[in-house]
Amino acid sequence: MKIYKELKDFRGELKKPILTIGNFDGVHLGHQTILKKIVSRAKETGGSSVVLTFEPHPVKVIAPHKDIRLITSCEERTNLIDAAGVDAVICVNFTKGFARQHPEDFTRDILLDKIGVSEIYVGHDYAFGRGREGTIEYLKELGKKYNFHVDVIEPVTVNGAIVSSSSTRKLITEGSVDKAAKFLGRYYTLSGMVVKGAGRGKGLGFPTANIEPPAELIPEDGVYAVIVKKGNNTYNGVANIGNKPTFKNERFGLEAYLFDFNGDLYNERLEISFVKKIRDEMAFKNTDALITQMKKDVQIAGKILKEK
């Protein structure tokens, strides 16, 4: 897949672009449906499937006070789009000036003059241009005026709920990672380097890896059944998110205990996939009570992961 970091880098190298436009945070099932459509249409027409996306996320520029936390980093998003078989991604630097464009100017100057769009496929809630003035109906009118086809992909639902980035974020922040997985089509995953911790887990009989996740979106505090990837190896495990209230003055963090692993994990990069929340974080009256609960957590997680 070709990646264009700026519109100026895109010089009409791709034949007959079949385009979709959006932020694609999470690349959830709804996004995946749109990506499948442009890939299939490109094959049918002898064209090229192209995704036009933005960095940073427009909300971070237009309404930074909303403090939106993203499901996927730019790199993760690009990798997921690549895995869908898309030919090219154009990643536009989103600025306040870019946001002020009139919808027709954006269509004429960028979609037509710079990209040379042939067909456009968008989600049901798509809007574009200054103040989101560009509705889907307006885009269709522009398509007739400038001779390109526009089609809308209907929303994907899971158990009657429309799949969206905002609903997926909400599920993750609430700790409902198993429900979020149904929206994403995969487990929600954080990755980060293992750093030095207090070393207390080893003394309790559960040596844990303390991870500094670069991701913005962290699940709700609590204990989770997880799958941990280290290089090409995969382990079942338990992860804790929070401040470890049994011990005073502990900073917020993410730590994971890997089943059937012996060795040093410092400075290793781990990927933590959250399968299901086991319980809320809680304070225990002493370490013996904590150890008893940790043994229960491991048993519960083992059962959950075996079923998965």
Side-chain angles (χ1 to χ4, degrees):
M1 182 179 75
K2 293 186 178 181
I3 301 173
Y4 299 90
K5 291 294 186 182
E6 295 288 346
L7 277 166
K8 62 182 177 60
D9 298 330
F10 190 86
R11 299 181 181 88
E13 297 177 5
L14 299 175
K15 183 180 178 182
K16 199 175 181 181
I18 309 296
L19 184 73
T20 186
I21 312 168
N23 300 309
F24 297 96
D25 184 33
V27 193
H28 54 61
L29 293 181
H31 296 144
Q32 292 169 38
T33 300
I34 299 173
L35 297 178
K36 287 177 183 176
K37 181 63 178 182
I38 65 168
V39 168
S40 66
R41 280 297 295 158
K43 290 178 180 177
E44 290 167 4
T45 62
S48 302
S49 53
V50 182
V51 171
L52 177 62
T53 189
F54 311 99
E55 183 65 23
H57 192 290
V59 172
K60 289 181 175 291
V61 176
I62 298 170
H65 60 279
K66 291 186 177 180
D67 192 28
I68 185 173
R69 300 301 174 96
L70 301 182
I71 303 166
T72 47
S73 66
C74 183
E75 181 182 2
E76 290 168 335
R77 186 169 30 129
T78 301
N79 289 339
L80 289 165
I81 292 171
D82 185 17
V86 171
D87 293 315
V89 167
I90 305 171
C91 190
V92 175
N93 179 31
F94 195 88
T95 63
K96 289 183 178 179
F98 188 91
R100 285 194 291 268
Q101 292 179 96
H102 187 275
E104 184 164 6
D105 294 338
F106 170 77
T107 300
R108 183 187 61 248
D109 299 342
I110 293 177
L111 301 187
L112 289 167
D113 293 350
K114 287 189 169 61
I115 299 176
V117 65
S118 173
E119 300 178 15
I120 299 179
Y121 294 85
V122 294
H124 69 285
D125 55 351
Y126 178 71
F128 67 107
R130 183 181 59 206
R132 294 175 63 84
E133 294 174 5
T135 63
I136 290 174
E137 287 306 314
Y138 187 32
L139 182 61
K140 288 182 176 179
E141 290 177 13
L142 292 171
K144 292 177 182 177
K145 179 177 180 179
Y146 292 108
N147 195 32
F148 61 84
H149 175 74
V150 177
D151 206 350
V152 180
I153 305 300
E154 292 304 311
V156 172
T157 60
V158 173
N159 297 328
I162 293 177
V163 176
S164 68
S165 295
S166 58
S167 59
T168 304
R169 287 188 204 105
K170 186 172 186 292
L171 289 171
I172 293 169
T173 56
E174 291 173 349
S176 301
V177 293
D178 50 335
K179 293 180 180 178
K182 294 179 180 179
F183 281 24
L184 292 170
R186 64 186 186 279
Y187 296 124
Y188 179 61
T189 300
L190 297 179
S191 64
M193 299 296 293
V194 178
V195 297
K196 288 277 187 182
R200 190 179 290 113
K202 187 174 182 180
L204 297 174
F206 297 92
T208 58
N210 291 270
I211 299 151
E212 291 286 356
E216 297 187 343
L217 188 64
I218 307 295
E220 181 184 51
D221 290 4
V223 178
Y224 294 81
V226 297
I227 298 171
V228 183
K229 186 176 181 182
K230 173 185 172 290
N232 294 322
N233 298 315
T234 302
Y235 304 88
N236 289 341
V238 172
N240 182 82
I241 297 174
N243 297 302
K244 310 178 195 70
T246 302
F247 306 99
K248 304 299 181 184
N249 301 318
E250 288 283 342
R251 68 187 183 91
F252 178 85
L254 164 62
E255 57 180 346
Y257 168 64
L258 282 60
F259 303 166
D260 305 317
F261 176 82
N262 292 304
D264 188 0
L265 290 170
Y266 290 128
N267 296 319
E268 294 279 358
R269 176 169 289 278
L270 301 182
E271 292 182 6
I272 313 294
S273 295
F274 292 84
V275 177
K276 189 172 183 178
K277 186 176 181 180
I278 296 173
R279 62 172 175 86
D280 291 335
E281 194 176 38
M282 58 183 72
F284 296 90
K285 60 182 179 181
N286 54 49
T287 55
D288 287 341
L290 172 59
I291 291 170
T292 298
Q293 182 60 55
M294 290 171 73
K295 289 178 179 177
K296 291 179 181 178
D297 294 339
V298 168
Q299 289 176 348
I300 294 169
K303 183 178 180 181
I304 291 170
L305 296 168
K306 185 177 180 180
E307 292 174 352
K308 298 294 181 182

